[in-house]
Amino acid sequence: MSARILVVDDVPANVKLLEARLSAEYFDVMTASNGTEALAICARAECDIILLDVMMPDMDGFEVCRRLKTDPATHHIPVVMVTALDSPSDRNRGLEAGADDFLTKPVSDVVLIARVRSLTRLKMMTDELRMRAITSLEIGMQAPERSAVADTGKGGRILLVDDRQSSYERLATILAAEHTIDVEPNPTEALFHAAEGNYDLLIVSLDLNNFDGLRLCSQARSLERTRHVPILAIADPENSTRLLRGLEIGVNDYLLRPIDKTELLARARTQIRRRRYTDHLRDNVQNSIEMAITDALTGLHNRRYMESHLATLAEQASTRGKPLALMILDIDYFKSINDNYGHDAGDDVLREFAVRVRKSIRGIDLACRYGGEEFVIVMPETDLHVAGMVAERLRRSIAGEPFAVHKGSKRIEVTISIGLTTLEQKGEAVADVLKRADTALYRAKHDGRNRVVSQAA
């Protein structure tokens, strides 16, 4: 797993030491000797993780971190402060500035590499989501960066898994100041609880009695419902090696006892902010996918999706020896609706038409807006006779009740013409089926409209 690591330190010996450690693990290492230089490199998106010293002459590490985390363009880059400062107040100040971790010199090679690898996995996942979400911006959806920068990380839902009463009571009291806390003292029930609870953060003690806390973390990572929920592990100092193992299997962050109140709250906020940001990215990706295959006005699938999915349905029908019906529907005299009542009225008709189509077909049927006032319905495992009954029912539902337009102030009569055919020949081209349905539609319109015409293969 390679990544570009930016080492920021004004002491050349420190830079050389970190550079040697990271290069030995095949990371690409970049260096900066001051905060201004570091910010410029980050602004050019040239690094994946930042190892940041605190004591620098022009701008200290706290200020560099604060600027990175308040800039929508760089807030997602993980920052690890590596410094000789070791007081709890310094560590908390770094975490409050937005640092993902605060390591005190001298840092062991094992701890450093484990943390960098863990954050590299996280950064790569975030980058993949950000890349996919670029489409969301192109289609007008709001990017989550600015809301992520403004997010306080408070108001999260946290599940605390700890079977020591004195421990979980203290931790729950601290966390309850900013979050909603559920405590699960029974580790055998914790995974079920986590899967059902829609939590923003899991906090897991690795010092459970008669239960392996790391196994619980591993199971949470393998379960779909909890795969993306961040995990904050807590352990006694003598279990620090197990914490490093936890980072390898997907633990996001950790704390050693005794727990500092301010540090616990700061690390919880960091993980919750990151969870909300990645969730927003995933939502944007999902929404952009749906928008790419959905007609915005009617909510039906669009022509692009129909052409792709119809080929799959036709292949399945041929392979299984099952019939496949296809109908093309055209709203009669739709241009006159737009001309006489306005395009807003035309849109009202199209929306209501889509609603009535959905009510007239099955869940397995595919309804698409083919273009303008033309629609296509594909009905798997349906012969010509049954499809004709469905088409006639749909025609009556359209003609039988006027359409409300202009917010219900007017009602107009609408009818449709339908051309219907089926895929009967094994391996027949989809284009031929569409052409046959279109020919049947032409006949329906030529014969007076408001009717269904079937054409067998």
Side-chain angles (χ1 to χ4, degrees), residues 340-409:
N340 295 329
Y341 300 97
H343 288 278
D344 288 346
D347 288 348
D348 290 340
V349 169
L350 290 171
R351 278 190 287 264
E352 174 61 21
F353 178 78
V355 171
R356 297 190 194 186
V357 166
R358 287 195 192 94
K359 291 180 179 178
S360 300
I361 62 176
R362 304 166 299 178
I364 63 170
D365 298 331
L366 173 65
C368 307
R369 186 180 180 189
Y370 198 50
E373 67 273 22
E374 280 195 338
F375 296 78
V376 171
I377 297 176
V378 185
M379 306 183 71
E381 301 187 16
T382 306
D383 60 25
L384 195 63
H385 174 69
V386 173
M389 295 172 59
V390 173
E392 183 59 32
R393 183 176 68 232
L394 179 56
R395 185 198 64 78
R396 288 196 304 268
S397 78
I398 300 301
E401 182 180 353
F403 281 57
V405 298
H406 296 158
K407 299 181 180 179
S409 63

Side-chain angles (χ1 to χ4, degrees), residues 327-333 374 391-392 395 415-420 436-455:
M327 63 181 82
I328 300 181
L329 307 81
D330 184 90
I331 299 177
D332 296 330
Y333 304 111
E374 280 195 338
E392 183 59 32
R395 185 198 64 78
T415 62
I416 58 171
S417 300
I418 301 176
L420 173 64
R436 196 162 56 247
D438 193 53
T439 300
L441 172 64
Y442 177 80
R443 280 181 49 204
K445 294 164 71 173
H446 183 268
D447 292 347
R449 292 181 163 81
N450 190 22
R451 65 193 61 220
V452 178
V453 172
S454 301
Q455 183 165 324

Side-chain angles (χ1 to χ4, degrees), residues 146-328:
R146 294 198 178 277
S147 59
V149 167
D151 190 354
T152 63
K154 297 180 181 180
R157 298 194 70 245
I158 299 176
L159 177 63
L160 172 61
V161 184
D162 193 342
D163 56 6
R164 295 189 205 171
Q165 184 174 355
S166 60
S167 172
Y168 68 66
E169 286 181 348
R170 177 175 180 268
L171 295 178
T173 300
I174 294 171
L175 292 165
E178 296 184 356
H179 309 282
T180 300
I181 309 299
D182 290 336
V183 176
E184 180 52 78
N186 183 354
T188 60
E189 296 292 327
L191 191 63
F192 175 79
H193 197 160
E196 295 298 319
N198 191 29
Y199 291 102
D200 298 302
L201 176 64
L202 304 181
I203 299 180
V204 180
S205 170
L206 300 189
D207 305 303
L208 301 168
N209 292 318
N210 303 316
F211 197 92
D212 187 349
L214 282 182
R215 183 167 299 280
L216 175 60
C217 296
S218 176
Q219 290 171 339
R221 279 291 164 264
S222 64
L223 190 66
E224 179 64 30
R225 292 188 182 182
T226 55
R227 183 165 297 155
H228 303 298
V229 181
I231 300 173
L232 174 62
I234 294 178
D236 291 329
E238 58 269 21
N239 278 342
S240 58
T241 54
R242 297 190 71 233
L243 281 172
L244 300 180
R245 176 65 177 145
L247 291 175
E248 295 177 4
I249 64 173
V251 169
N252 299 79
D253 201 358
Y254 64 86
L255 278 168
L256 293 174
R257 291 187 173 94
I259 303 299
D260 178 79
K261 170 184 175 180
T262 305
E263 184 175 359
L264 172 62
L265 290 172
R267 291 186 184 273
R269 287 194 295 269
T270 295
Q271 295 305 319
I272 290 171
R273 276 196 301 267
R274 191 176 291 278
R275 165 67 191 272
R276 290 169 177 168
Y277 174 62
T278 55
D279 278 356
H280 199 151
L281 284 175
R282 287 190 185 91
D283 288 345
N284 272 16
V285 170
Q286 183 60 36
N287 289 338
S288 65
I289 292 172
E290 291 177 1
M291 292 178 73
I293 64 173
T294 304
D295 175 61
L297 180 64
T298 64
L300 300 178
H301 289 298
N302 60 20
R303 180 170 182 165
R304 177 193 300 174
Y305 181 82
M306 185 276 293
E307 290 176 342
S308 173
H309 196 52
L310 176 57
T312 302
L313 292 175
E315 182 180 351
Q316 290 176 350
S318 295
T319 302
R320 298 171 184 173
K322 300 288 186 179
L324 179 76
L326 183 147
M327 63 181 82
I328 300 181

